[in-house]
Amino acid sequence: MENKNLTLVTEFLLIAFTDYPGWTLPLFFLFLFIYLITLLGNLGMIILIRVDLRLHIPMYFLLSHLSFMDICYSSVTVPQMMAMLLEHGIVLSYTRCAAQFFLFTFFGSIDCYLLALMAYDRYVAVCQPLLYVTIMTQKARLGFVAGAYIAGLFSALVRTVSAFTLSFCGTNEINFIFCDLPPLLKLTCGDSYTQEVVIIVFAIFVIPACMVVILVSYLFIILAIMRISSARGRAKTFSTCASHLTTVLLFFGTLIFMYLRDDSGRSPQEDQVVSVFYTTVIPMLNPLIYSLRNKEVKEALRKILNRAKLS
């Protein structure tokens, strides 16, 4: 412990996947392919929502911001991960590591808030359809999205300041794909109790709080669906929520597995695979889920493709 305290960390060495040199190029091209699909899919979704008047409704307004966040969220980690694979490790300065942690927390928090807002939107649409237009006005949805961005900024600032006022010493190696909280906490030395409490408290206001909003919204939605007499009516109503529910289960399922489970028995390789899934794979899947499972999006896409063929 004495030797560890003498060597303060001023830069970090990311070494994820360096134990498997034979997989370097296959993983690089796999992540490049996924990243390009992520950019094209989410950018395409944003453009589609902007140009098709039928998609100018609150649900797709929120979805366009979710797609934008997925682009940002993925761009914070994936290009650096590809560089790390080619260079067999990458050195990050203290400032660059803190900036990446801040941006990842910022975009990730907004993602959580947007998914919670989309659950509330579905609750209003299913449970209070006659009031939907008066509740989800343009002013209201702009306020909701602005609130999500402000809350994400505040959460990211507090978590970043708390994390990077800790002292890091000993080894500077991080066996992970980016500067994230769990691997950083393993490098801390000295008293970190106060900072860890602040980090945990603010984490509760993101993942669990958003999950409560989503669970309560879907509880009322399920009760409303059960009161529909016809099976066809129940299926039609549920189909309006299926895409969002699929996205929620994938996103929050991996976050819970990564951040809210016991540390005992977890391996770096397991954490790397899970982190790749929620930082790389899920942002790619979101536009596919909404385009394949959503009738309005499929019709809008078909209309644009037909128009492109005619021109």
Side-chain angles (χ1 to χ4, degrees), residues 111-289:
D111 242 17
C112 292
Y113 294 132
L114 287 173
L115 288 171
L117 288 172
M118 292 171 78
Y120 174 73
D121 172 80
R122 292 298 83 206
Y123 155 74
V124 177
V126 173
C127 301
Q128 302 184 49
L130 298 179
L131 298 176
Y132 183 74
V133 176
T134 57
I135 293 175
M136 298 299 292
T137 61
Q138 183 177 6
K139 184 178 179 181
R141 59 182 186 248
L142 286 172
F144 286 146
V145 169
Y149 278 70
I150 292 169
L153 176 63
F154 184 62
S155 176
L157 280 172
V158 171
R159 284 168 59 83
T160 304
V161 170
S162 299
F164 285 86
T165 52
L166 295 168
S167 296
F168 302 103
C169 51
T171 179
N172 68 339
E173 291 185 351
I174 298 178
N175 194 7
F176 204 63
I177 64 172
F178 67 99
C179 286
D180 198 13
L181 189 60
L184 284 172
L185 289 177
K186 293 177 183 177
L187 305 182
T188 59
C189 54
D191 183 17
S192 61
Y193 177 77
T194 303
Q195 289 95 327
E196 289 187 30
V197 168
V198 172
I199 291 167
I200 292 169
V201 168
F202 273 86
I204 291 172
F205 282 101
V206 181
I207 300 176
C210 291
M211 286 178 59
V212 167
V213 173
I214 292 168
L215 289 172
V216 171
S217 297
Y218 274 101
L219 175 62
F220 283 108
I221 289 170
I222 291 169
L223 292 175
I225 290 174
M226 290 174 64
R227 288 195 292 267
I228 299 174
S229 56
S230 68
R232 185 178 179 181
R234 287 195 295 269
K236 184 179 179 181
T237 304
F238 181 76
S239 67
T240 64
C241 308
S243 298
H244 175 257
L245 191 56
T246 303
T247 302
V248 165
L249 291 174
L250 286 172
F251 186 72
F252 282 98
T254 52
L255 289 186
I256 290 168
F257 187 79
M258 184 68 199
Y259 296 109
L260 300 182
R261 65 189 171 107
D262 186 20
D263 286 343
S264 60
R266 59 195 292 178
S267 66
Q269 291 76 21
E270 188 180 69
D271 286 347
Q272 289 169 23
V273 172
V274 175
S275 62
V276 165
F277 190 75
Y278 70 79
T279 60
T280 308
V281 178
I282 290 179
M284 176 193 69
L285 291 178
N286 283 345
L288 297 177
I289 291 169

Side-chain angles (χ1 to χ4, degrees), residues 68-116:
F68 177 63
M69 283 301 107
D70 281 343
I71 291 173
C72 298
Y73 185 72
S74 183
S75 297
V76 170
T77 56
V78 179
Q80 177 186 279
M81 187 163 54
M82 292 190 294
M84 178 175 58
L85 286 167
L86 291 180
E87 298 173 18
H88 305 287
I90 189 169
V91 176
L92 297 183
S93 66
Y94 193 89
T95 303
R96 185 176 170 185
C97 185
Q100 185 183 50
F101 179 81
F102 168 79
L103 291 173
F104 178 80
T105 306
F106 176 55
F107 297 133
S109 298
I110 295 173
D111 242 17
C112 292
Y113 294 132
L114 287 173
L115 288 171

